[in-house]
Amino acid sequence: GTVNCSNLVVSFCGDDAFDIDLGYHGKGQFWLGINNGDSDKALEMSGGLQPIPSLRNNLPVIYNVTLVGNPDTKAAPLIDISSHAGGFIMNSIFLEAEQGIGLYYTEKPGDSYSLFQSGRLALYNNILFPATDSVPAFYAYSDLSMDLTAQNHVMADSLAAWGNSYEDPGVSAVNGYSLLPPATVFENMAPYSNGWFEQVTYKGAFGSNQWIEGWTLLYESGYIKKN
């Protein structure tokens, strides 16, 4: 679908916070997803059972997302990309990101790794925190019995070349959620691709305005720090 959507809030789901599926190719901006111990991925991007030729160059474009991964089990990747899915995520903040961003590898034409190789899947100028040595920040996985070390090296190099970083963004998910950023997330911004997107100067879903105040149960229930 081509639905464009902004200012979305999803919290404490039993599955994924956001699930992009079946050839979705809209635009998105200012998304907040918060997972807890019952949740799975913060973002699952999947295409379909086979590539959709008409969508090969028409993919989702997403800016200014704040995703908070599952802080308890850490059993699933923060973001999972599979089933011929591609797209672009920019100027976003990924917290509780120890399980990284997983990309399903199949060796079949048109799979998500193929889209990555051809420049139709990329993540520009995002912050991942915290990072670990045990799990790569961006990695391939597969049901095939094969060594994906070479692919993981290529993916790690791309994540760095795309301007992503692993600094503490000053946005916290400890003892309540503190979502307004300090000055560090106002640097190293990816340009906005077209006029649909609001041209902001910060990473993540929030600048100086708690736009969830007054209309979300998440805020009114006291989960969000009023900083």
Side-chain angles (χ1 to χ4, degrees):
T2 56
V3 174
N4 303 324
C5 46
S6 65
N7 299 93
L8 302 182
V9 180
V10 181
S11 56
F12 313 141
C13 286
D15 191 22
D16 310 313
F18 294 100
D19 194 336
I20 293 174
D21 203 356
L22 296 176
Y24 172 76
H25 51 280
K27 303 179 184 67
Q29 190 175 21
F30 308 127
W31 294 4
L32 171 64
I34 298 178
N35 282 2
N36 64 3
D38 297 322
S39 305
D40 196 18
K41 298 117 182 167
L43 171 61
E44 184 174 72
M45 301 176 66
S46 52
L49 297 178
Q50 59 187 6
I52 303 175
S54 63
L55 299 180
R56 292 184 63 186
N57 296 305
N58 199 0
L59 299 163
V61 179
I62 303 168
Y63 284 88
N64 294 101
V65 172
T66 296
L67 297 178
V68 181
N70 187 329
D72 298 328
T73 64
K74 305 186 189 303
L78 181 80
I79 299 174
D80 184 43
I81 308 171
S82 64
S83 300
H84 315 288
F88 307 92
I89 306 175
M90 284 78 71
N91 295 346
S92 295
I93 294 175
F94 307 137
L95 294 179
E96 302 290 347
E98 293 97 322
Q99 294 303 309
I101 300 168
L103 180 63
Y104 186 53
Y105 182 89
T106 69
E107 285 194 320
K108 295 180 180 178
D111 71 351
S112 292
Y113 191 82
S114 299
L115 295 182
F116 157 70
Q117 289 181 302
S118 63
R120 288 173 287 167
L121 191 163
L123 303 103
Y124 293 105
N125 302 79
N126 305 294
I127 297 174
L128 299 87
F129 187 81
T132 69
D133 294 330
S134 59
V135 178
F138 188 39
Y139 60 92
Y141 69 93
S142 179
D143 295 332
L144 304 174
S145 297
M146 62 183 303
D147 183 359
L148 297 176
T149 302
Q151 288 83 351
N152 287 339
H153 281 310
V154 172
M155 294 171 68
D157 290 344
S158 295
L159 202 65
W162 290 334
N164 297 283
S165 64
Y166 309 101
E167 63 194 305
D168 184 349
V171 176
S172 174
V174 179
N175 299 321
Y177 299 94
S178 179
L179 301 175
L180 298 184
T184 54
V185 301
F186 290 77
E187 304 169 355
N188 187 32
M189 299 288 294
Y192 289 88
S193 58
N194 63 59
W196 184 87
F197 297 101
E198 184 177 340
Q199 312 287 305
V200 297
T201 58
Y202 54 85
K203 296 180 182 180
F206 300 89
S208 59
N209 176 32
Q210 296 264 34
W211 50 262
I212 56 175
E213 182 177 357
W215 65 278
T216 63
L217 182 61
L218 181 70
Y219 189 92
E220 300 305 320
S221 299
Y223 289 103
I224 307 300
K225 292 181 180 179
K226 298 174 172 61
N227 54 338

